[in-house]
């Protein structure tokens, strides 16, 4: 028997894997019957299902109060149906609806180019918090040390030995290091900020749909993510690299995209210290409207597995 050559054999290994996944997704793109069969016995069984925009599949009538449960069921089925899930809403976009006919998505070459550009991007040069380069003088120390959650501590005393003026990031890191060295103070701060890494802090729209993307690859899934912080194709590729990096390092999986908000379930919480500080900086860079200081986010991250990104006009 003559074996046919693998058309992806001349690709570099990472691209070969992506090409294989892309090829697999084309075989299930419009197979609604297969998806419905996979839903049997899950919270998604019996829900209205149909074609969505750009090669996606939409599942309607998701209970907003059980959206995480529905997403988890769909996430567990990725190896079966070859589609990565993300919750979306039509509260702000009445064009997001089930279509009678499938709508073409990107071509294989277009998606491969998207992935290549994402892999070569530098997301933490593109995404930087607007206060990244702020300098703090003597009259501002109390404001920055107090934080946004209203922690009732004399935090300015903890950074009294920091020479002023100083970069805001240096001041916040000094404060965070002092908290790490004092378990009681750390616990008191955590009690005030841990809400930011709990699902109760997440936004819940009135209407929720499950969008099944025509790919199982995390990086290429960024092509379909609607986010105010990624309005251009360049930034969408950069966001795709963020999704891939966070998945690799923290097992952070995108649960929902509400336009100006992204919500993640995190499987590996960053440890207190350098890991939490790094993750907090990245989260703040992607989420300029997250109303906590970086040191507060660093305290909160090891205590929860729900990340919230907020970037609005």
């Amino acid at each position: 028997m003559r074996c046919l050559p693998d058309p992806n054999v001349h690709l570099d290994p990472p691209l070969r894997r992506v090409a294989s996944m892309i090829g697999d997704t084309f075989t299930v793109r419009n197979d609604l019957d297969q998806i419905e069969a996979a839903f049997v016995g899950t919270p998604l069984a019996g829900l209205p299902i149909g074609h969505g925009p750009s090669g996606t599949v939409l599942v309607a009538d998701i209970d907003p109060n059980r959206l995480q449960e529905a997403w988890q069921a769909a996430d567990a089925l990725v190896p079966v149906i070859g589609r990565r899930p993300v919750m979306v809403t039509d509260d702000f976009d009445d064009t997001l609806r089930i279509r009678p006919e499938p709508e073409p998505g990107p071509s294989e070459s277009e998606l491969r180019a998207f992935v290549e550009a994402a892999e070569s991007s530098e997301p933490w040069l593109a995404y930087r918090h607007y206060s990244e380069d702020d300098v703090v003088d003597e009259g501002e120390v109390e404001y920055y040390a107090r934080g946004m959650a209203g922690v009732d501590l004399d935090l300015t005393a903890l950074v009294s030995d920091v020479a002023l003026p100083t970069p805001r990031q240096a001041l916040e890191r000094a404060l965070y290091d002092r908290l790490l060295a004092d378990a009681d103070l750390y616990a008191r701060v955590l009690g005030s900020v841990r809400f930011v890494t709990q699902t109760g802090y997440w936004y819940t729209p009135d209407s929720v749909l499950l969008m099944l993307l025509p790919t199982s690859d995390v990086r290429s899934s960024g092509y379909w993510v609607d986010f105010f912080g990624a309005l251009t194709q360049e930034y969408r590729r950069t966001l795709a690299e963020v999704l891939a990096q966070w998945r690799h390092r923290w097992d952070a999986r995108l649960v929902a995209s509400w336009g100006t908000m992204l919500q993640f379930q995190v499987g590996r919480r960053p440890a207190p210290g350098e890991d939490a500080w790094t993750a907090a900086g990245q989260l703040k860079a992607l989420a300029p409207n997250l109303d906590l200081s970086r040191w507060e986010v660093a305290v909160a991250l090891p205590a929860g597995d729900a990340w919230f990104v907020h970037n609005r006009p």
Side-chain angles (χ1 to χ4, degrees), residues 23-37:
D24 289 344
T25 62
F26 278 111
T27 66
V28 299
R29 175 163 296 180
N30 299 315
D31 192 355
L32 302 183
D33 290 339
Q34 179 187 0
I35 296 173
E36 287 185 299

Side-chain angles (χ1 to χ4, degrees), residues 84-168:
R84 190 149 297 285
V86 59
M87 293 297 180
V88 296
T89 182
D90 58 355
D91 279 0
F92 321 113
D93 182 4
D94 58 9
T95 67
L96 187 60
R97 60 180 182 272
I98 290 177
R99 290 154 167 75
E101 299 293 334
E103 182 177 293
S107 66
E108 181 178 343
S109 60
E110 182 182 356
L111 195 56
R112 185 181 295 113
F114 178 88
V115 170
E116 290 175 350
E119 286 183 303
S120 64
S121 68
E122 296 289 345
W124 309 118
L125 295 180
Y127 286 113
R128 299 179 78 248
H129 195 267
Y130 59 82
S131 68
E132 182 75 19
D133 300 319
D134 285 359
V135 174
V136 180
D137 59 31
E138 188 172 352
E140 298 173 311
V141 171
E142 183 177 354
Y143 171 78
Y144 287 115
R146 185 169 60 249
M148 304 298 177
V151 183
D152 187 18
L153 298 172
D154 186 11
L155 298 177
T156 55
L158 299 179
V159 290
S160 59
D161 59 343
V162 175
L164 299 172
T166 191
R168 175 178 175 177

Side-chain angles (χ1 to χ4, degrees), residues 272-295:
E274 199 63 41
D275 278 358
W277 180 253
T278 297
Q282 293 180 356
L283 192 59
K284 288 285 291 180
L286 195 64
N289 298 106
L290 180 59
D291 292 331
L292 287 181
S293 297
R294 182 175 178 179
W295 63 266

